[in-house]
């Protein structure tokens, strides 16, 4: 089979390769991959500075959907031909203390698709059946390639935050996760949703407004706290969702949030912060970390996407066959596409709804 493989940890060690087709274990399903979304972390691996541990050679891709073509003897609940979407926790010790309480997403021994286990940028993928959820009829297959980032955003906004109707919400970073956080904050009833980014993000603010942003800001980050206070009762945002990929945005979050408010950090930032955390103490700010997702979140998200997929479809700015993977990566890196989706089984499948 053809697959997009990272061969080493240095830059530009990604290429299209031919691999043996995977075989299912007793608890596994083999899927014909129909759509695989490109994540910012895939770009980081391409450039040799991954966001987390990588064990090459490995097939990239942790945002994917497909059709069941084979199943292990102990698999139940899935039939040949079913369209499915996959979670990202490829390997989990289901007997660990965290997994036993449903928090397998933050188990230290978790290994994810596309980094330490072969992922979904391939014609076929082996997936534990516990990772799979049915893609509802009526949802275009290409949408299955972006369900995973919706689950990330849902965990940040709905599970890890406490947004109430009428709240003032600030979202830092209009990348795919930030835009989806904007959408979900709007659906959760936020009274105002302010999405903030850099001047280079201006082209994305049309997407933000379509997804529910009431205000956008691409100017001086130091002006953002005053804007948040002007939108509120003078105290600032009830919740700040930090979806930016830099550590410095956390300082902006501390300044923009109101006393007694909360910050949910879902964006990665490897740089040292070099700032005081005293505002957390002085303002009694609640800080919530957020990583990945779990089965209940996925079930909620699959249902939500089944009803409202048309609202997020415009985020997909590039789609194409597996052999054009580099075009999809470059489209996201240049900003011409918010999301790129590879179609390993051919572009004809992209708009299939069953």
């Amino acid at each position: 089979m053809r697959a997009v493989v990272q061969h080493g940890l240095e830059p530009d060690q990604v290429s299209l390769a031919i691999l043996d087709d995977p075989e299912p274990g007793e608890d596994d399903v083999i899927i014909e991959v129909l759509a695989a979304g490109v994540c910012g972390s895939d770009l980081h691996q391409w450039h040799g500075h991954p966001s987390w541990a990588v064990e090459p050679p490995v097939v990239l891709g942790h945002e994917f959907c497909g059709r069941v073509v084979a199943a292990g003897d102990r698999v139940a609940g899935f039939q040949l031909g079913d369209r499915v979407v996959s979670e990202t926790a490829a390997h989990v010790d289901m007997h660990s203390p965290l997994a036993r309480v449903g928090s397998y997403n933050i188990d230290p021994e978790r290994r994810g698709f596309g980094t330490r286990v072969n992922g979904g940028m391939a014609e076929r993928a082996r997936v534990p059946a516990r990772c799979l959820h049915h893609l509802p009829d009526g949802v275009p297959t290409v949408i299955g390639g972006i369900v995973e980032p919706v689950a990330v955003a849902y965990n940040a906004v709905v599970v890890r935050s406490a947004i109430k109707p009428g709240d003032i919400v600030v979202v830092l970073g209009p990348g795919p996760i930030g835009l989806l956080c904007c959408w979900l904050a709007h659906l959760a009833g936020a009274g105002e949703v302010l999405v903030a980014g850099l001047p280079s993000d201006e082209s994305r603010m049309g997407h933000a407004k379509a997804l529910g942003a009431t205000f956008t800001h691409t100017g001086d980050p130091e002006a953002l706290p005053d804007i948040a206070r002007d939108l509120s009762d003078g105290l600032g945002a009830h919740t700040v969702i930090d979806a930016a990929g830099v550590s410095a945005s956390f300082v902006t979050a501390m300044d923009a949030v109101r006393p007694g408010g909360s910050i949910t950090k879902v964006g990665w930032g490897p740089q040292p912060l070099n700032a005081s955390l005293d505002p957390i103490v002085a303002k009694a700010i609640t800080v919530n970390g957020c990583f990945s997702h779990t089965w209940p979140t996925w079930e909620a998200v699959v249902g939500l996407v089944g009803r409202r997929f048309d609202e997020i479809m415009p985020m997909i700015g590039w789609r194409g066959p597996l052999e054009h993977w580099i075009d999809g990566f470059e489209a996201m890196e240049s900003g011409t596409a918010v999301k790129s989706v590879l179609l390993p089984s051919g572009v004809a499948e992209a708009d299939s709804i069953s």
Side-chain angles (χ1 to χ4, degrees):
M1 69 174 185
R2 298 175 306 159
V4 179
V5 177
Q6 180 179 0
H7 302 278
L9 297 176
E10 299 300 314
D12 300 319
Q13 294 292 301
V14 175
S15 69
L16 192 67
I18 303 297
L19 305 178
D20 292 337
D21 285 356
E23 296 291 335
E26 290 183 323
D27 299 307
D28 298 330
V29 165
I30 302 298
I31 65 170
E32 174 193 8
V33 181
L34 301 178
V38 179
C39 178
S41 65
D42 296 313
L43 304 184
H44 297 162
Q45 288 175 238
W46 177 36
H47 290 309
H49 46 85
S51 302
W52 36 68
V54 177
E55 297 178 3
V58 65
V59 177
L60 295 183
H62 59 269
E63 307 175 1
F64 60 97
C65 74
R67 196 180 307 279
V68 176
V69 294
D73 293 339
R74 298 199 303 198
V75 171
F78 298 98
Q79 305 295 324
L80 299 185
D82 285 356
R83 288 193 313 160
V84 292
V85 287
S86 178
E87 298 184 27
T88 59
H91 171 81
V92 173
D93 177 4
M94 297 307 292
H95 299 290
S96 75
L98 285 168
R100 288 172 72 105
V101 297
S103 297
Y104 55 86
N105 58 315
I106 53 174
D107 192 301
E109 300 304 315
R110 172 193 179 277
R111 297 203 301 270
F113 286 115
T115 54
R116 301 172 70 188
V117 178
N118 282 340
M121 290 186 186
E123 292 177 310
R124 295 196 172 199
R126 178 171 58 213
V127 182
R130 61 169 174 77
C131 288
L132 295 178
H133 303 260
H134 287 96
L135 188 64
D137 287 345
V139 176
T141 294
V142 69
I143 286 289
I146 65 168
V147 174
E148 192 276 340
V150 179
V152 171
Y154 188 100
N155 192 27
V157 173
V158 178
V159 179
R160 299 292 293 163
S161 303
I163 296 170
K164 298 185 294 297
D167 278 1
I168 310 301
V169 176
V170 171
V171 178
L172 303 179
I177 299 300
L179 291 172
L180 290 167
C181 285
C182 163
W183 181 52
L184 290 162
H186 167 66
L187 294 181
E192 305 285 0
V193 181
L194 168 60
V195 177
L198 302 173
S200 57
D201 294 320
E202 186 61 43
S203 63
R204 296 188 173 204
M205 292 310 178
H207 290 285
K209 292 174 182 176
L211 292 167
T214 51
F215 292 88
T216 61
H217 177 71
T218 55
D220 183 359
E222 293 186 4
L224 188 63
D226 285 337
I227 296 172
R229 285 187 279 272
D230 289 344
L231 289 176
S232 68
D233 53 5
L235 292 175
H238 297 86
T239 298
V240 177
I241 308 291
D242 183 357
V246 294
S247 298
S249 60
F250 192 77
V251 177
T252 302
M254 290 190 292
D255 289 342
V257 73
R258 69 195 291 113
S262 67
I263 300 170
T264 299
K265 183 162 180 56
V266 63
W268 293 76
Q271 309 87 356
L273 185 59
N274 295 324
S276 172
L277 296 179
D278 283 354
I280 296 175
V281 179
K283 296 167 73 173
I285 300 167
T286 298
V287 178
N288 300 300
C290 180
F291 178 69
S292 194
H293 29 60
T294 58
W295 189 90
T297 291
W298 270 85
E299 285 294 291
V301 163
V302 167
L304 175 65
V305 169
R307 294 185 295 272
R308 310 186 75 114
F309 66 85
D310 57 310
E311 297 172 24
I312 59 173
M313 179 72 88
M315 291 179 61
I316 302 174
W318 184 95
R319 59 173 83 178
L322 202 61
E323 59 267 27
H324 293 166
W325 68 271
I326 197 166
D327 296 331
F329 280 41
E330 289 177 344
M332 282 191 60
E333 186 166 57
S334 68
T336 58
V338 175
K339 288 295 291 184
S340 293
V341 177
L342 298 173
L343 305 167
S345 297
V347 295
E349 284 279 5
D351 297 315
S352 173
I353 59 173
S354 64

